[in-house]
Amino acid sequence: MSDFLSDADFEKYKNFIYDKSGIFFSNSNRTILESRLRERLRTTGHETVLDYFNLISRDQEEMRALLDSVTTNLTRFFRNAAHYDTFINYVIPDLVERKKASGDKVFKIWSAGCSSGEEPYTNAMVLSEYLPADFKIDILASDLSLKSLMKAQEGFYPASKINGIPDNYLKKYMDPVENGYIMKDSIKKLIKFDYHNLKFPSDSRNLDVVFCRNVLIYFDEAAQKNVVEGFWNSMRDHSYLFIGHSESLFGMNTKFEFIKTDWACIYGKNVK
């Protein structure tokens, strides 16, 4: 038992965080919660975990700050090349062909758990390259972290963060500025950044593709199922779901179909 966080307090915080977000803390990652709590106590000037618990129970803003602090916002441009090979060579051509046949020229994507924006900006650049000129790109990018969303909206990335962006993309879609690069307005305008807690349903409908990579690992089985069902409800017939390469829907009672492409494994809604 920790002197800082008793077993009873750990249970109280664990249940509170799960109830508010679906994020699950087990004993194995208890130390992460403890270190984030120490940080928030220092920042807010509270002396005990009980005082701080009283604060988050009544203060929505601080509750969000805590949830922000317990998620790890690791991301990069063109993360997991096999996913982008699948997106470019399999998903986009299939959807474009179907959309041309139906006369629907809007391509709708949700980047759920977008962190500081590298994923949705990558998607915007790829779609700008590979979609026919008369198609409209509509990207929703959401996260639990307001701090990350503000950074993403700005579209500035230090030189150390642009690794993985092909040179032709860099020249075409980003402008060099002091100490780094900033996304061109032509790419920024394709994306709407918005706060969203995946524990709750989304208003989005008729999505063609959902990217939710390395997010489900934060949830227990019940919360994962809830999130995946939420995606199903937001997606149109004949659409695709990308999850993290170490994540799987195997064993989950879900209607998504498993798809093995030449490059990576993804999931589909009513695609066969």
PDB file of all heavy atoms in Angstrom, residues 5 8 28 45 74 76 103 123 148 156 158-159 163-165 185 215 226 229 264:
ATOM      1  N   LEU A   5      -1.243   7.142  -1.611  1.00  0.00           N
ATOM      2  CA  LEU A   5      -2.561   6.745  -2.100  1.00  0.00           C
ATOM      3  C   LEU A   5      -2.916   5.386  -1.499  1.00  0.00           C
ATOM      4  O   LEU A   5      -2.383   4.362  -1.889  1.00  0.00           O
ATOM      5  CB  LEU A   5      -2.539   6.651  -3.641  1.00  0.00           C
ATOM      6  CG  LEU A   5      -3.875   6.467  -4.358  1.00  0.00           C
ATOM      7  CD1 LEU A   5      -4.746   7.715  -4.217  1.00  0.00           C
ATOM      8  CD2 LEU A   5      -3.654   6.151  -5.836  1.00  0.00           C
ATOM      9  N   ALA A   8      -7.926   2.130  -0.493  1.00  0.00           N
ATOM     10  CA  ALA A   8      -9.302   2.651  -0.566  1.00  0.00           C
ATOM     11  C   ALA A   8      -9.374   3.870  -1.491  1.00  0.00           C
ATOM     12  O   ALA A   8     -10.320   4.007  -2.292  1.00  0.00           O
ATOM     13  CB  ALA A   8      -9.795   3.028   0.831  1.00  0.00           C
ATOM     14  N   SER A  28      -1.399  -3.004 -11.905  1.00  0.00           N
ATOM     15  CA  SER A  28      -0.131  -2.950 -12.636  1.00  0.00           C
ATOM     16  C   SER A  28       0.199  -1.545 -13.148  1.00  0.00           C
ATOM     17  O   SER A  28       1.358  -1.216 -13.357  1.00  0.00           O
ATOM     18  CB  SER A  28      -0.146  -3.931 -13.807  1.00  0.00           C
ATOM     19  OG  SER A  28      -1.169  -3.598 -14.713  1.00  0.00           O
ATOM     20  N   GLY A  45      -2.386  23.033  -5.826  1.00  0.00           N
ATOM     21  CA  GLY A  45      -2.109  23.461  -4.449  1.00  0.00           C
ATOM     22  C   GLY A  45      -2.888  22.703  -3.388  1.00  0.00           C
ATOM     23  O   GLY A  45      -3.025  23.174  -2.259  1.00  0.00           O
ATOM     24  N   LEU A  74       1.084   9.740 -27.280  1.00  0.00           N
ATOM     25  CA  LEU A  74       2.188   9.392 -28.166  1.00  0.00           C
ATOM     26  C   LEU A  74       1.662   9.217 -29.581  1.00  0.00           C
ATOM     27  O   LEU A  74       0.720   8.466 -29.814  1.00  0.00           O
ATOM     28  CB  LEU A  74       2.844   8.083 -27.712  1.00  0.00           C
ATOM     29  CG  LEU A  74       3.628   8.123 -26.406  1.00  0.00           C
ATOM     30  CD1 LEU A  74       4.127   6.729 -26.059  1.00  0.00           C
ATOM     31  CD2 LEU A  74       4.802   9.084 -26.503  1.00  0.00           C
ATOM     32  N   ARG A  76       2.794  10.071 -34.118  1.00  0.00           N
ATOM     33  CA  ARG A  76       3.737  10.640 -35.087  1.00  0.00           C
ATOM     34  C   ARG A  76       3.091  10.611 -36.472  1.00  0.00           C
ATOM     35  O   ARG A  76       2.101   9.913 -36.691  1.00  0.00           O
ATOM     36  CB  ARG A  76       5.069   9.895 -35.092  1.00  0.00           C
ATOM     37  CG  ARG A  76       5.009   8.455 -35.506  1.00  0.00           C
ATOM     38  CD  ARG A  76       6.394   7.818 -35.529  1.00  0.00           C
ATOM     39  NE  ARG A  76       6.331   6.433 -35.990  1.00  0.00           N
ATOM     40  CZ  ARG A  76       6.099   5.394 -35.216  1.00  0.00           C
ATOM     41  NH1 ARG A  76       5.911   5.569 -33.928  1.00  0.00           N
ATOM     42  NH2 ARG A  76       6.058   4.182 -35.704  1.00  0.00           N
ATOM     43  N   GLY A 103     -22.610   8.536 -56.798  1.00  0.00           N
ATOM     44  CA  GLY A 103     -22.686   9.996 -56.923  1.00  0.00           C
ATOM     45  C   GLY A 103     -22.364  10.738 -55.640  1.00  0.00           C
ATOM     46  O   GLY A 103     -22.499  11.957 -55.556  1.00  0.00           O
ATOM     47  N   ASN A 123      -3.778  11.964 -42.612  1.00  0.00           N
ATOM     48  CA  ASN A 123      -4.933  11.532 -43.408  1.00  0.00           C
ATOM     49  C   ASN A 123      -5.355  12.605 -44.410  1.00  0.00           C
ATOM     50  O   ASN A 123      -5.712  12.299 -45.551  1.00  0.00           O
ATOM     51  CB  ASN A 123      -6.100  11.179 -42.490  1.00  0.00           C
ATOM     52  CG  ASN A 123      -5.823   9.941 -41.654  1.00  0.00           C
ATOM     53  OD1 ASN A 123      -4.940   9.155 -41.972  1.00  0.00           O
ATOM     54  ND2 ASN A 123      -6.579   9.766 -40.580  1.00  0.00           N
ATOM     55  N   SER A 148      -3.913  18.809 -25.973  1.00  0.00           N
ATOM     56  CA  SER A 148      -3.477  18.226 -27.243  1.00  0.00           C
ATOM     57  C   SER A 148      -4.262  18.813 -28.410  1.00  0.00           C
ATOM     58  O   SER A 148      -3.697  19.079 -29.481  1.00  0.00           O
ATOM     59  CB  SER A 148      -3.650  16.706 -27.221  1.00  0.00           C
ATOM     60  OG  SER A 148      -2.776  16.113 -26.305  1.00  0.00           O
ATOM     61  N   PHE A 156       1.415  23.550 -35.747  1.00  0.00           N
ATOM     62  CA  PHE A 156       2.872  23.761 -35.761  1.00  0.00           C
ATOM     63  C   PHE A 156       3.575  22.540 -35.174  1.00  0.00           C
ATOM     64  O   PHE A 156       3.156  22.008 -34.139  1.00  0.00           O
ATOM     65  CB  PHE A 156       3.260  24.993 -34.927  1.00  0.00           C
ATOM     66  CG  PHE A 156       4.743  25.062 -34.659  1.00  0.00           C
ATOM     67  CD1 PHE A 156       5.623  25.506 -35.633  1.00  0.00           C
ATOM     68  CD2 PHE A 156       5.269  24.641 -33.429  1.00  0.00           C
ATOM     69  CE1 PHE A 156       6.995  25.534 -35.391  1.00  0.00           C
ATOM     70  CE2 PHE A 156       6.631  24.670 -33.183  1.00  0.00           C
ATOM     71  CZ  PHE A 156       7.498  25.118 -34.166  1.00  0.00           C
ATOM     72  N   PRO A 158       7.679  21.117 -34.344  1.00  0.00           N
ATOM     73  CA  PRO A 158       9.115  21.343 -34.405  1.00  0.00           C
ATOM     74  C   PRO A 158       9.765  20.384 -35.398  1.00  0.00           C
ATOM     75  O   PRO A 158       9.202  19.327 -35.719  1.00  0.00           O
ATOM     76  CB  PRO A 158       9.588  21.057 -32.972  1.00  0.00           C
ATOM     77  CG  PRO A 158       8.490  20.290 -32.323  1.00  0.00           C
ATOM     78  CD  PRO A 158       7.231  20.643 -33.036  1.00  0.00           C
ATOM     79  N   ALA A 159      10.945  20.751 -35.871  1.00  0.00           N
ATOM     80  CA  ALA A 159      11.639  19.951 -36.883  1.00  0.00           C
ATOM     81  C   ALA A 159      11.812  18.497 -36.442  1.00  0.00           C
ATOM     82  O   ALA A 159      11.777  17.582 -37.264  1.00  0.00           O
ATOM     83  CB  ALA A 159      12.983  20.579 -37.203  1.00  0.00           C
ATOM     84  N   ASN A 163       9.693  13.825 -38.792  1.00  0.00           N
ATOM     85  CA  ASN A 163      10.251  12.589 -39.331  1.00  0.00           C
ATOM     86  C   ASN A 163       9.130  11.709 -39.853  1.00  0.00           C
ATOM     87  O   ASN A 163       8.093  11.576 -39.228  1.00  0.00           O
ATOM     88  CB  ASN A 163      11.011  11.811 -38.243  1.00  0.00           C
ATOM     89  CG  ASN A 163      12.244  12.559 -37.786  1.00  0.00           C
ATOM     90  OD1 ASN A 163      12.735  13.413 -38.499  1.00  0.00           O
ATOM     91  ND2 ASN A 163      12.738  12.243 -36.613  1.00  0.00           N
ATOM     92  N   GLY A 164       9.351  11.097 -40.992  1.00  0.00           N
ATOM     93  CA  GLY A 164       8.335  10.208 -41.554  1.00  0.00           C
ATOM     94  C   GLY A 164       7.496  10.866 -42.634  1.00  0.00           C
ATOM     95  O   GLY A 164       6.822  10.185 -43.403  1.00  0.00           O
ATOM     96  N   ILE A 165       7.506  12.210 -42.699  1.00  0.00           N
ATOM     97  CA  ILE A 165       6.755  12.891 -43.758  1.00  0.00           C
ATOM     98  C   ILE A 165       7.603  12.880 -45.035  1.00  0.00           C
ATOM     99  O   ILE A 165       8.718  13.406 -45.036  1.00  0.00           O
ATOM    100  CB  ILE A 165       6.416  14.345 -43.376  1.00  0.00           C
ATOM    101  CG1 ILE A 165       5.628  14.396 -42.071  1.00  0.00           C
ATOM    102  CG2 ILE A 165       5.628  15.008 -44.500  1.00  0.00           C
ATOM    103  CD1 ILE A 165       5.278  15.801 -41.619  1.00  0.00           C
ATOM    104  N   ASP A 185      -2.924  26.285 -44.654  1.00  0.00           N
ATOM    105  CA  ASP A 185      -4.352  26.472 -44.395  1.00  0.00           C
ATOM    106  C   ASP A 185      -5.209  25.536 -45.244  1.00  0.00           C
ATOM    107  O   ASP A 185      -6.295  25.126 -44.828  1.00  0.00           O
ATOM    108  CB  ASP A 185      -4.763  27.925 -44.659  1.00  0.00           C
ATOM    109  CG  ASP A 185      -4.242  28.861 -43.574  1.00  0.00           C
ATOM    110  OD1 ASP A 185      -3.882  28.363 -42.487  1.00  0.00           O
ATOM    111  OD2 ASP A 185      -4.188  30.087 -43.815  1.00  0.00           O
ATOM    112  N   VAL A 215      -5.804   3.316 -28.686  1.00  0.00           N
ATOM    113  CA  VAL A 215      -6.705   3.958 -27.727  1.00  0.00           C
ATOM    114  C   VAL A 215      -7.447   2.898 -26.912  1.00  0.00           C
ATOM    115  O   VAL A 215      -7.609   3.035 -25.699  1.00  0.00           O
ATOM    116  CB  VAL A 215      -7.718   4.879 -28.450  1.00  0.00           C
ATOM    117  CG1 VAL A 215      -8.722   5.449 -27.465  1.00  0.00           C
ATOM    118  CG2 VAL A 215      -7.000   6.010 -29.181  1.00  0.00           C
ATOM    119  N   ASN A 226     -18.218  -1.080 -25.770  1.00  0.00           N
ATOM    120  CA  ASN A 226     -19.052   0.113 -25.868  1.00  0.00           C
ATOM    121  C   ASN A 226     -18.513   1.077 -26.930  1.00  0.00           C
ATOM    122  O   ASN A 226     -19.266   1.615 -27.750  1.00  0.00           O
ATOM    123  CB  ASN A 226     -19.103   0.796 -24.495  1.00  0.00           C
ATOM    124  CG  ASN A 226     -19.936   2.053 -24.507  1.00  0.00           C
ATOM    125  OD1 ASN A 226     -21.097   2.044 -24.875  1.00  0.00           O
ATOM    126  ND2 ASN A 226     -19.331   3.167 -24.108  1.00  0.00           N
ATOM    127  N   GLU A 229     -18.968  -0.445 -30.478  1.00  0.00           N
ATOM    128  CA  GLU A 229     -20.377  -0.333 -30.898  1.00  0.00           C
ATOM    129  C   GLU A 229     -20.706   1.096 -31.316  1.00  0.00           C
ATOM    130  O   GLU A 229     -21.469   1.326 -32.262  1.00  0.00           O
ATOM    131  CB  GLU A 229     -21.301  -0.775 -29.764  1.00  0.00           C
ATOM    132  CG  GLU A 229     -21.398  -2.286 -29.627  1.00  0.00           C
ATOM    133  CD  GLU A 229     -22.304  -2.712 -28.472  1.00  0.00           C
ATOM    134  OE1 GLU A 229     -22.837  -1.830 -27.760  1.00  0.00           O
ATOM    135  OE2 GLU A 229     -22.472  -3.931 -28.288  1.00  0.00           O
ATOM    136  N   ALA A 264      -1.779  -4.988 -44.203  1.00  0.00           N
ATOM    137  CA  ALA A 264      -2.152  -4.974 -42.774  1.00  0.00           C
ATOM    138  C   ALA A 264      -3.548  -5.546 -42.596  1.00  0.00           C
ATOM    139  O   ALA A 264      -4.291  -5.731 -43.569  1.00  0.00           O
ATOM    140  CB  ALA A 264      -2.093  -3.542 -42.234  1.00  0.00           C
TER     141      ALA A 264
END
